[in-house]
Amino acid sequence: MSNNDVSTGEPAKVFTGIRDVPIYAGESSAGNRLPGGPYRSAELIAIGLIMGPALWWFRTHEGGGFTVLAGAAAAAVVVTIILRMVLPTRRPSLLARASFAVSSIFPTHACAARPHARSSHGAQR
């Protein structure tokens, strides 16, 4: 074993000789990010469900032009904007949940349907 080899107890070796080249994996590097991101899973699923069939149609219909792709891209942008406005970015806090629970157990509004008091003659007041 040389000085640069690191023993892991496994048959594989870890080489640590290269130090001058930064290597990024996943979304940590700027080159791997999609425009307008980061995207949540609901947004990625919606984009995939819109763009997937559009790309399939574009590949199978050669004379179709780019109209379908442009329409699908526009639809994906609109759906992503709507999902960002509608879906919450994070879960409610514990204080908000406690407030919801208390207001559902002890409602602040009075009961609107209340029987009217009747006089001795049976007519309503």
Side-chain angles (χ1 to χ4, degrees):
M1 225 160 99
S2 67
N3 289 340
N4 290 339
D5 294 343
V6 177
S7 175
T8 60
E10 299 291 327
K13 293 181 180 179
V14 177
F15 295 98
T16 59
I18 301 174
R19 297 281 184 202
D20 59 345
V21 179
I23 299 172
Y24 300 102
E27 289 195 23
S28 61
S29 66
N32 291 339
R33 292 191 183 157
L34 295 172
Y39 295 98
R40 295 179 284 181
S41 59
E43 296 167 351
L44 290 174
I45 290 170
I47 291 170
L49 288 175
I50 292 170
M51 292 302 295
L55 288 171
W56 171 82
W57 190 90
F58 181 75
R59 301 257 340 233
T60 57
H61 296 82
E62 294 178 7
F66 290 96
T67 307
V68 172
L69 284 181
V77 167
V78 168
V79 168
T80 303
I81 291 171
I82 290 171
L83 285 175
R84 287 191 178 182
M85 289 190 295
V86 173
L87 294 178
T89 56
R90 59 184 176 159
R91 299 179 69 171
S93 66
L94 290 177
L95 182 62
R97 291 180 192 194
S99 168
F100 298 153
V102 168
S103 65
S104 66
I105 294 171
F106 304 112
T108 57
H109 61 278
C111 183
R114 191 167 89 184
H116 294 286
R118 296 182 180 249
S119 65
S120 62
H121 300 292
Q124 293 183 358
R125 287 190 203 177

